[in-house]
Amino acid sequence: AFAEEAAFYLSALQLAGEQTRVEQKQRFLELYGNHPLSKKKSPVRKLAYYLAAAAVITGILLGVRLIFKTVPPQQLADHYISENFQTLGVQMSSRDDSIQTGLRLYNEGKTTEALQHFEKIIRTDTANFTAKEYAGIISLRLRDYDRALAYFEELETYSTLYANPALFYQAVTLMERNHTGDADRAKNILQEIVRKNAEGTKIAKEWLNKW
C-alpha cells in the first residue's frame, strides 16, 4: 500500500512539473511575445539581404566603370603616337632612295633634319604622297601641329589611294594639340571615318567608345 501511494505521489509530482513548465512557457510568450525586441530579427535579416544586394550592385557598377571608363582624347593620342611613331620602317635596299634616307635620319633622332629632307623632296615632287605623309608625322612629333594638319589635309585630296590615313592623322593631331574645339573636331572626324569605313576605322571605334 505504501509503495502504491509513493508511486502515485511521484507520478502526480512529475505531471504537475510538466504542467507548470507549459504554463510558464505560455506566460513567457504572453509577457514578451509582443515586446519590440522580439520582432527585430526579421527586419534585421531583411536589411542584411538589402545590404548584400547593394554591395553586389555596387561592385558590378564599379567593374563596368573600370572596363568602360572614359579616357581623355589627348591621352589616347599620346599613346598612339608613342606606339606607332617612335620609329618609322626603313626598307633594306642597296640603292640610294631619298625616302629611305629621310627615314634613317628620323630613326637616328635627327628629327629636324629628317623633316627638312622630306620637305626638300616635296619641293621637287609636289605630288609625292609618301613624302608629305612622313613630313606630317615628323611635324606632329615636333609638336608643330599646324604644319602637321596642313600636310594631312593635303593628303586627304589623294582620293584615289586605296588606304589613305589622312583623316585619321588629322584626328590624332587635333586630339594631341587639344586647343579649344579640337576635341569636338576630332570626334566628328572619327565618326566620319567610321561612317566611311575609312583607314583607321577599328581604332576610331575603340576611341569613340572610350571617349
Side-chain angles (χ1 to χ4, degrees):
F2 175 77
E4 289 178 355
E5 290 179 1
F8 175 78
Y9 173 76
L10 291 174
S11 177
L13 185 62
Q14 182 178 4
L15 182 61
E18 291 177 357
Q19 183 64 32
T20 300
R21 286 195 295 273
V22 171
E23 291 176 356
Q24 289 176 341
K25 183 176 181 181
Q26 184 63 33
R27 182 61 176 163
F28 179 82
L29 291 175
E30 290 175 358
L31 289 174
Y32 300 106
N34 294 323
H35 193 279
L37 290 175
S38 66
K39 295 185 178 181
K40 284 188 176 180
K41 184 175 181 181
S42 180
V44 169
R45 181 175 297 175
K46 289 182 179 179
L47 179 60
Y49 292 151
Y50 294 150
L51 290 175
V56 171
I57 294 171
T58 302
I60 293 172
L61 292 176
L62 287 174
V64 171
R65 182 181 177 85
L66 289 173
I67 295 172
F68 298 104
K69 66 179 180 180
T70 58
V71 180
Q74 192 175 39
Q75 184 176 330
L76 293 171
D78 279 340
H79 181 73
Y80 181 86
I81 292 169
S82 64
E83 287 289 316
N84 295 275
F85 296 153
Q86 283 291 99
T87 59
L88 299 174
V90 178
Q91 296 179 358
M92 300 302 295
S93 175
S94 58
R95 64 190 181 90
D96 184 15
D97 189 319
S98 294
I99 294 293
Q100 302 304 313
T101 300
L103 293 175
R104 281 192 290 271
L105 287 170
Y106 178 80
N107 292 339
E108 291 170 1
K110 300 174 182 178
T111 315
T112 303
E113 292 89 332
L115 177 59
Q116 293 171 349
H117 182 82
F118 284 117
E119 289 184 329
K120 182 179 179 181
I121 296 173
I122 294 168
R123 287 193 296 270
T124 305
D125 180 7
T126 56
N128 195 315
F129 173 88
T130 305
K132 290 180 181 180
E133 179 181 1
Y134 288 134
I137 291 171
I138 296 171
S139 298
L140 175 58
R141 288 300 311 278
L142 289 170
R143 302 184 184 278
D144 190 344
Y145 303 118
D146 293 341
R147 182 181 294 191
L149 281 172
Y151 278 122
F152 295 144
E153 287 168 359
E154 283 187 46
L155 294 183
E156 190 180 351
T157 63
Y158 292 74
S159 57
T160 58
L161 292 175
Y162 174 73
N164 188 341
L167 280 174
F168 183 75
Y169 287 169
Q170 288 176 46
V172 171
T173 304
L174 290 167
M175 292 161 65
E176 180 70 7
R177 186 173 68 175
N178 199 31
H179 287 177
T180 302
D182 281 351
D184 291 335
R185 284 180 61 192
K187 191 171 187 177
N188 290 334
I189 291 173
L190 293 175
Q191 291 170 341
E192 181 182 353
I193 290 171
V194 173
R195 284 196 304 270
K196 293 180 176 179
N197 195 28
E199 185 75 9
T201 295
K202 182 179 179 181
I203 300 176
K205 288 180 179 178
E206 292 176 1
W207 286 0
L208 288 170
N209 288 332
K210 292 179 180 179
W211 205 304

